[in-house]
């Protein structure tokens, strides 16, 4: 038997979540954000499945974009951070990539190349202070790009710092600044909304939305799960029990002997660890399912293994070969992330290459 750790990815769920994002903003086109290997779900397979439905894809680097083109993706692909060096512009022209543009070096090197680009999204810094320029500089960039005759369409984009916090007024302030910039520039299409904004904020209609985490059925909000938001979870991470023992009250378990049994109970050892992407920071009590029964982490996460017990004090019957759901169907990735003091984004994105990925549409694997 090979190591039983498997991430099962439901491509149909990702498509359905993409369609849901578009339904929420019927006047908008939507990038399917597939950067970072489609948040750990496999960028090529996800893009191949969405092609035909997705208006365009968005990635973080030219390498990610080229990987999709080489896999046969013909839809437009956008570089969310633009080019990192001048030489990339040639590749953008060759592969017809769209780009963000947010600094003078990107602007000058595009003008110096003098070749046509279909769409450029000038990035406005509306308050996150990570990428982008002020509204006055953005207006100059837009004018320069339009006058250059090199760009088919110039658009204006920004990114929200706090859209996942509905009580925080920063998003309103960012939207106000964005509208001021649009007034300064005059008619220009917009792209502002990530998943949180798509689902909960009032954003400009028309233009482009940029759903990422919601495509994978994961909530961007700390207090609500993807399922509560009407999303379909796309990834279920499963493994099996590989060893079972009885521990007595007072026995200690695992590295550092950090878990101590408060009573006699069975203990299961499961094939998953931080070498697979299961978070080492997951605390005792992190939920999972063993043979459909509520279970919880008991002991520190090792590189290849974890130890767990059934949550009900009276429960018995653990056996080698029992099925374990680590997250996905029945145990939300958001809840596991909460117990590991992180967010669902990080858990799925930092999966390593060790877990086998099985795609539910055709049961093939990578
Ligand atoms: C510029 C940009 N747009 C959209 C997204 C998608 O965000 P989310 O995954 O929260 O939907 C990201 C992700 O970080 C991003 O950097």
């Amino acid at each position: 038997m090979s190591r039983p750790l498997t991430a099962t990815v439901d491509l149909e769920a990702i498509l359905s979540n993409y369609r849901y994002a578009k339904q929420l903003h019927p006047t908008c086109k939507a990038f399917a954000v597939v950067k970072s290997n489609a948040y750990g779900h496999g960028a090529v397979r996800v893009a191949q499945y969405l092609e035909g439905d997705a208006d365009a894809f968005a990635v973080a680097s030219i390498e990610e974009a080229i990987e999709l083109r080489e896999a046969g993706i013909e839809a437009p692909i956008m570089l969310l951070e633009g080019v990192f060096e001048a030489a990339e512009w040639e590749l953008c022209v060759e592969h017809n990539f769209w780009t963000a543009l947010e600094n003078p070096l990107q602007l000058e090197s595009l003008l110096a190349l003098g070749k046509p680009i279909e769409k450029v999204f000038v990035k406005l810094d509306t308050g996150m202070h990570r990428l982008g320029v002020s509204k006055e500089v953005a207006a100059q960039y837009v004018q320069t790009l339009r006058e250059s005759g090199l760009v088919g369409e110039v658009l204006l984009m920004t990114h929200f710092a706090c859209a996942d916090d509905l009580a925080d007024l920063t998003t309103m302030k960012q939207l106000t600044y964005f509208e001021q910039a649009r007034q300064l520039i005059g008619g220009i299409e917009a792209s502002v909304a990530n998943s949180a904004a798509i689902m909960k904020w009032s954003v400009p209609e028309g233009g482009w939305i940029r759903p990422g985490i919601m495509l994978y059925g994961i909530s961007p909000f700390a207090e609500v799960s993807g399922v509560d938001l009407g999303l379909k979870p796309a990834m279920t991470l499963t493994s099996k029990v590989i060893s079972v023992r009885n521990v007595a009250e007072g026995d200690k378990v695992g590295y550092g002997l950090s878990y101590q049994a408060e009573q006699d109970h069975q203990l299961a050892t499961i094939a998953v660890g931080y070498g697979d992407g299961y978070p080492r920071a997951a605390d005792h009590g992190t939920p999972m399912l063993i043979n459909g029964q509520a279970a919880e982490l008991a002991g520190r996460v090792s590189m290849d293994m974890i130890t767990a017990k059934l949550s009900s004090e009276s429960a018995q019957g653990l056996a080698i070969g029992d099925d374990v759901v680590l997250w996905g169907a029945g145990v939300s990735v958001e809840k596991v992330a909460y117990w590991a003091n992180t967010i669902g984004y990080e858990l799925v994105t930092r999966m390593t290459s060790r877990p086998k990925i099985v795609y539910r549409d055709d049961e093939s694997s990578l």
Side-chain angles (χ1 to χ4, degrees), residues 104-168:
L105 292 180
Q106 291 174 335
L107 178 65
E108 284 156 21
S109 53
L110 170 59
L111 297 175
L113 179 75
K115 292 187 180 170
I117 292 284
E118 199 171 297
K119 284 193 204 300
V120 170
F121 293 69
V122 171
K123 187 146 186 182
L124 185 68
D125 181 1
T126 52
M128 189 170 182
H129 302 328
R130 188 178 65 173
L131 291 179
V133 293
S134 69
K135 58 182 190 294
E136 291 77 17
V137 174
Q140 284 167 16
Y141 280 17
V142 171
Q143 190 182 351
T144 305
L145 288 167
R146 283 178 174 162
E147 286 174 3
S148 75
L150 296 174
V151 182
E153 187 185 8
V154 184
L155 301 92
L156 192 66
M157 73 180 287
T158 195
H159 195 53
F160 294 127
C162 305
D164 58 326
D165 184 350
L166 299 177
D168 192 317

Side-chain angles (χ1 to χ4, degrees), residues 254-272:
Y255 281 122
L257 298 180
S258 66
Y259 170 79
Q260 184 165 23
E262 287 180 358
Q263 72 220 21
D264 299 357
H265 65 77
Q266 281 190 306
L267 187 79
T269 302
I270 299 159
V272 68

Side-chain angles (χ1 to χ4, degrees), residues 234-270:
M235 181 193 290
T236 298
L237 186 65
T238 55
S239 189
K240 287 191 184 290
V241 172
I242 58 168
S243 186
V244 176
R245 69 209 58 249
N246 293 311
V247 292
E249 181 186 342
D251 280 353
K252 294 180 177 178
V253 176
Y255 281 122
L257 298 180
S258 66
Y259 170 79
Q260 184 165 23
E262 287 180 358
Q263 72 220 21
D264 299 357
H265 65 77
Q266 281 190 306
L267 187 79
T269 302
I270 299 159

Side-chain angles (χ1 to χ4, degrees), residues 26-263:
T27 62
C28 294
K29 284 157 280 181
F31 289 106
V33 180
V34 293
K35 64 189 171 124
S36 200
N37 200 27
Y39 293 48
H41 294 69
V44 166
R45 289 299 299 269
V46 169
Q48 284 171 338
Y49 198 81
L50 295 188
E51 194 162 44
D53 281 79
D55 300 312
F57 295 98
V59 295
S61 69
I62 201 140
E63 289 80 6
E64 291 181 339
I66 288 172
E67 184 191 19
L68 295 182
R69 276 282 180 270
E70 287 180 346
I73 299 299
E74 291 177 357
I77 303 173
M78 145 88 157
L79 307 183
L80 288 168
E81 293 160 40
V83 300
F84 300 111
E85 55 181 354
E88 292 176 31
W89 281 117
E90 275 290 0
L91 292 166
C92 292
V93 173
E94 182 188 333
H95 294 289
N96 187 24
F97 295 148
W98 304 350
T99 76
L101 190 145
E102 70 88 34
N103 67 50
L105 292 180
Q106 291 174 335
L107 178 65
E108 284 156 21
S109 53
L110 170 59
L111 297 175
L113 179 75
K115 292 187 180 170
I117 292 284
E118 199 171 297
K119 284 193 204 300
V120 170
F121 293 69
V122 171
K123 187 146 186 182
L124 185 68
D125 181 1
T126 52
M128 189 170 182
H129 302 328
R130 188 178 65 173
L131 291 179
V133 293
S134 69
K135 58 182 190 294
E136 291 77 17
V137 174
Q140 284 167 16
Y141 280 17
V142 171
Q143 190 182 351
T144 305
L145 288 167
R146 283 178 174 162
E147 286 174 3
S148 75
L150 296 174
V151 182
E153 187 185 8
V154 184
L155 301 92
L156 192 66
M157 73 180 287
T158 195
H159 195 53
F160 294 127
C162 305
D164 58 326
D165 184 350
L166 299 177
D168 192 317
L169 291 181
T170 305
T171 306
M172 293 309 299
K173 289 186 189 149
Q174 288 191 259
L175 278 165
T176 303
Y177 189 88
F178 191 84
E179 283 313 319
Q180 287 168 353
R182 281 180 99 187
Q183 279 170 20
L184 196 64
I185 293 166
I188 188 161
E189 277 219 331
S191 177
V192 303
N194 58 359
S195 297
I198 290 165
M199 288 189 282
K200 293 291 174 200
W201 290 92
S202 171
V203 296
E205 288 305 327
W208 290 79
I209 54 173
R210 306 192 302 269
I213 197 73
M214 69 179 291
L215 298 181
Y216 309 101
I218 300 170
S219 168
F221 306 104
E223 63 282 5
V224 213
S225 73
V227 172
D228 293 339
L229 291 165
L231 301 173
K232 296 185 181 167
M235 181 193 290
T236 298
L237 186 65
T238 55
S239 189
K240 287 191 184 290
V241 172
I242 58 168
S243 186
V244 176
R245 69 209 58 249
N246 293 311
V247 292
E249 181 186 342
D251 280 353
K252 294 180 177 178
V253 176
Y255 281 122
L257 298 180
S258 66
Y259 170 79
Q260 184 165 23
E262 287 180 358
Q263 72 220 21

